[in-house]
Amino acid sequence: LTVENIVFDKDELYFVIEIENTSTMDYDLNFLNLSVETRQKGKRKSLQRLYQEPIYKHNLPSKIMENETARFVYVLSKFSLSDDRRAILELNEKNGERNIKMKLSHRYINNPN
């Protein structure tokens, strides 16, 4: 799972995402979520996640065949993050346990191309 690019245009953020399946089994995509998480430091840590609903999903596959790569675009409403927040990209496999969480720093979201 990689985020190739984040592009800002008008009031939207375009996330160019690539999923590479290097295993010998097909990957059935259940969902791909993007959420914003608060990070609290210190003794009293609290975690809050706010799901960001995409406006549009372009070329989102339902299955990624073995040894293939899928590239697609997620379009979300423009948002920015403070230093104590980060974006989480969560990829979930249908009827499987190959789940991936990717953390995106506020620097990538606030400084798109």
Side-chain angles (χ1 to χ4, degrees):
L1 176 67
T2 55
V3 176
E4 285 194 348
N5 202 354
I6 300 173
V7 180
F8 170 71
D9 184 41
K10 296 182 180 115
D11 288 331
E12 298 166 339
L13 283 172
Y14 295 82
F15 287 78
V16 181
I17 301 168
E18 189 174 270
I19 301 173
E20 185 178 358
N21 185 5
T22 57
S23 71
T24 56
M25 289 174 50
D26 295 345
Y27 190 92
D28 294 320
L29 187 71
N30 188 18
F31 64 80
L32 179 75
N33 283 344
L34 189 115
S35 54
V36 174
E37 181 180 86
T38 58
R39 295 186 302 169
Q40 300 258 324
K41 295 184 174 81
K43 282 186 177 178
R44 296 184 177 204
K45 290 184 181 176
S46 71
L47 212 62
Q48 181 184 15
R49 269 204 191 147
L50 298 170
Y51 174 65
Q52 300 288 323
E53 184 69 40
I55 299 169
Y56 179 69
K57 303 171 189 176
H58 182 70
N59 284 348
L60 181 67
S62 59
K63 180 183 281 198
I64 300 154
M65 307 306 270
E66 60 180 89
N67 294 318
E68 289 204 0
T69 302
R71 180 191 257 164
F72 53 93
V73 178
Y74 251 43
V75 182
L76 290 110
S77 295
K78 178 182 79 169
F79 65 94
S80 63
L81 298 176
S82 60
D83 292 357
D84 62 339
R85 293 175 182 256
R86 63 181 168 202
I88 306 284
L89 206 58
E90 189 174 6
L91 183 67
N92 187 281
E93 182 182 25
K94 191 185 294 180
N95 302 325
E97 295 183 2
R98 295 181 290 175
N99 302 325
I100 301 169
K101 281 186 188 173
M102 181 180 182
K103 296 171 181 160
L104 297 167
S105 169
H106 63 90
R107 290 186 195 100
Y108 295 114
I109 305 293
N110 295 345
N111 301 314
N113 292 338

